[in-house]
Structure formats: C-alpha cells, structure tokens
Amino acid sequence: MGSRKVSQIGGDQSGSLCAHRTEEGGTTLKDQVIPKATAKRLPLYYRYLRILNNSGKQKVSSTELSEAVQVDSAPIRRDFSYFDEAAPLELSGYGYDVEALMNFFAKTLNDDHMSNVALVGVGNLGSALLKDKFHQSNSIRISAAFDVNEDIVGRIVDGIPVYPLSDMAEQIKLQQIDIAILTVPAESSQPIADDLVKSGIKGILNFTPARLHAPKSVLVQNVDLTNELQTLIYFLHANSQDENK
Ligand code: NAD
C-alpha cells in the first residue's frame, strides 16, 4: 500500500475533491475521493510543516501538529490515512518525518511547480488580492490581470500587468494559466466565466455573489465572506450557549 503516489488534488462539482493517484509499476489510474474538509486542512498542515522544516525540526507528532494547527489529533490521523504514502511516515512513538511529509504535501498540493493565476476585475477586492500576492505560498502567483476600465488597463498594478479583456484568451494560453480569480460585478460574471472556460481555464475562484454555470470539467470554488462570518457567529452563539448550560 505504500507504493502508490497521490500526484495531485483535483476536484468535482459536488464539494468532494479527488486525489488522482497512479500505481507504481502499474498502469492503473485510480481516483479516491477525499472529503472537502480534509482537502481544506492540507494547506494548514503544509504551511506548518514548512515552518518546522525551516527551523531544522526533523520529527513532529500528531499531538504537536494538532496544537499548532488547532485541529484535534483524531481528524489529523484520519486525514493522513487518506494518503497511503503519508501513513507509513508516522514512526511509532516518534511522530512523522517532517521533511518527507512536507515534500509529500508539496506534491499533493502541486506546490512543487509554479501555478500562474489570472485575476479578472481590478477594483477594490481585486486590487487587494493583487497586493497580497499569496505570500504564504511560493508557487502561486497572479501573472495577469484583466479589466474593462481604461484607467487601469495597460498599467502595472503591484507588479502585475493589467490587460484589456480582448487579450484574455491569448494571455491565458501564452502564460499557461489554468486558474482565474473572478472579482467583477456579479452581473458581468457569467459571460466572463464563459470566456474563461473557452480559453481553457480549469478552475475559477469566484468572489462574486453570482452562482456560475460551468462544465463539469471546470471546478468553481465560491468565496463568500458573509457566509464565513455567519458561520462564525453561529458557532460563537452555540459555544456560549454550551458554556451557560
Ligand atoms: P469594484 O466595483 O471595486 O471592482 C469591480 C472591477 O471589475 C472594476 O475594476 C471594474 O472595472 C471591473 N469590471 C467590471 N465589468 C467588467 C468586465 N465585464 N470585465 C472585466 N472587468 C470588469 O467591486 P469590488 O468591491 O472589488 O467587488 C468585486 C466583486 O466582488 C463584486 O461582485 C462583489 O459583490 C464581490 N465581493 C465579494 C466579497 C466576498 O466575500 N466574496 C466581498 C466583497 C465583494
């Protein structure tokens, strides 16, 4: 079981993510569905493992990992059990091998090669994202931005060129961009998503409140801060009710 490799995390429209794995020495390709909650925690683990590795630490226990990323150790062990390659890395009593696990997650999260990302809509939110530059990852960079506003088009904003929409298909192909961030007004989002799909985009991080239609082969991830806040408020109330019992 330790001979298989999880090569990348992809996704489907149902909210579960698929790890496409190859069997070493074989020709079979297998898809294993990883719960979305697990997939969401992987970058957390990966970030902490990079910190440990940079500080020269060689081993980490699931208890230490649990305290650092604030996830109970039971779900951590369950998460890791989805990865054949990661499970044997836990050396009984001594924890996980930091470097091996970090390299494993780098490969799983595709962090071992640069991903160029496009951003469409350089307004309030788009500009903030251009400024952030995803500094927590060395392997994601926004390499092109697009807008219709002639005051912005042709400028370089925070080191990133802003192109007119008419250049979108060409730049996406030229720069081999697979992922686009959508920060345009909701009413413009569907036609832009259609153009992005036609240009070969495989994943859309949609910040607009519109729910987009896209072919099954394209993964759309919606980001909604209002939803996140409402969830937080719900859990805050639930916690304080528990404390009052
Ligand atoms: P904004 O008006 O400041 O920026 C929108 C940008 O899109 C502008 O630069 C505009 O020129 C550009 N644009 C308009 N039509 C376009 C088109 N057809 N093609 C390319 N560019 C186009 O808006 P904002 O405050 O940055 O918000 C952007 C989007 O993000 C909105 O849909 C908003 O509802 C959403 N939003 C989401 C969250 C969240 O939590 N997900 C939070 C804030 C805003």
Side-chain angles (χ1 to χ4, degrees):
M1 85 166 201
S3 65
R4 291 191 212 141
K5 281 186 181 162
V6 175
S7 56
Q8 61 168 295
I9 286 188
D12 61 17
Q13 302 286 71
S14 68
S16 295
L17 295 177
C18 305
H20 303 287
R21 45 172 64 190
T22 59
E23 289 194 342
E24 210 175 77
T27 52
T28 339
L29 272 174
K30 266 190 168 183
D31 283 351
Q32 187 197 3
V33 175
I34 298 168
K36 197 166 188 181
T38 296
K40 271 189 162 182
R41 287 192 282 265
L42 300 189
L44 279 184
Y45 301 143
Y46 176 57
R47 212 174 295 156
Y48 182 62
L49 287 163
R50 278 181 45 196
I51 295 171
L52 288 183
N53 191 54
N54 287 341
S55 69
K57 194 143 192 274
Q58 291 175 348
K59 299 274 180 276
V60 63
S61 67
S62 39
T63 316
E64 276 176 277
L65 203 55
S66 155
E67 277 164 18
V69 298
Q70 304 208 334
V71 174
D72 286 344
S73 47
I76 290 185
R77 281 194 291 269
R78 199 171 49 241
D79 287 350
F80 286 10
S81 74
Y82 285 102
F83 305 102
D84 293 350
E85 210 177 336
L89 298 175
E90 180 155 37
L91 309 169
S92 53
Y94 295 99
Y96 296 94
D97 181 308
V98 169
E99 196 180 357
L101 200 52
M102 182 191 74
N103 290 338
F104 169 78
F105 281 128
K107 226 192 286 170
T108 308
L109 291 165
N110 263 338
D111 205 49
D112 52 355
H113 82 269
M114 182 61 75
S115 297
N116 283 340
V117 175
L119 179 138
V120 191
V122 189
N124 292 309
L125 188 54
S127 309
L129 294 175
L130 292 188
K131 211 173 240 94
D132 178 72
K133 289 192 171 32
F134 304 102
H135 59 273
Q136 283 167 329
S137 166
N138 296 328
S139 61
I140 305 173
R141 66 171 187 144
I142 299 178
S143 60
F146 302 93
D147 206 292
V148 287
N149 181 350
E150 288 182 0
D151 294 340
I152 317 171
V153 166
R155 285 183 40 206
I156 308 252
V157 176
D158 284 299
I160 295 139
V162 183
Y163 299 95
L165 271 191
S166 52
D167 286 0
M168 197 162 76
E170 186 193 358
Q171 286 302 326
I172 284 173
K173 285 200 174 70
L174 213 69
Q175 301 190 35
Q176 300 183 325
I177 297 174
D178 285 335
I179 295 171
I181 301 173
L182 212 47
T183 46
V184 293
E187 59 275 16
S188 315
S189 59
Q190 188 60 56
I192 293 178
D194 294 342
D195 287 345
L196 287 169
V197 170
K198 272 188 220 141
S199 309
I201 285 291
K202 299 281 181 290
I204 299 176
L205 189 62
N206 174 33
F207 279 89
T208 83
R211 289 303 161 250
L212 302 172
H213 302 285
K216 273 204 159 136
S217 56
V218 175
L219 181 67
V220 178
Q221 178 117 8
N222 299 307
V223 182
D224 187 336
L225 297 182
T226 312
N227 251 355
E228 301 289 330
L229 271 174
Q230 278 171 337
T231 310
L232 184 63
I233 290 166
Y234 169 81
F235 282 113
L236 274 182
H237 284 304
N239 273 356
S240 64
Q241 274 170 6
D242 277 354
E243 278 164 17
N244 291 336
K245 273 184 189 164

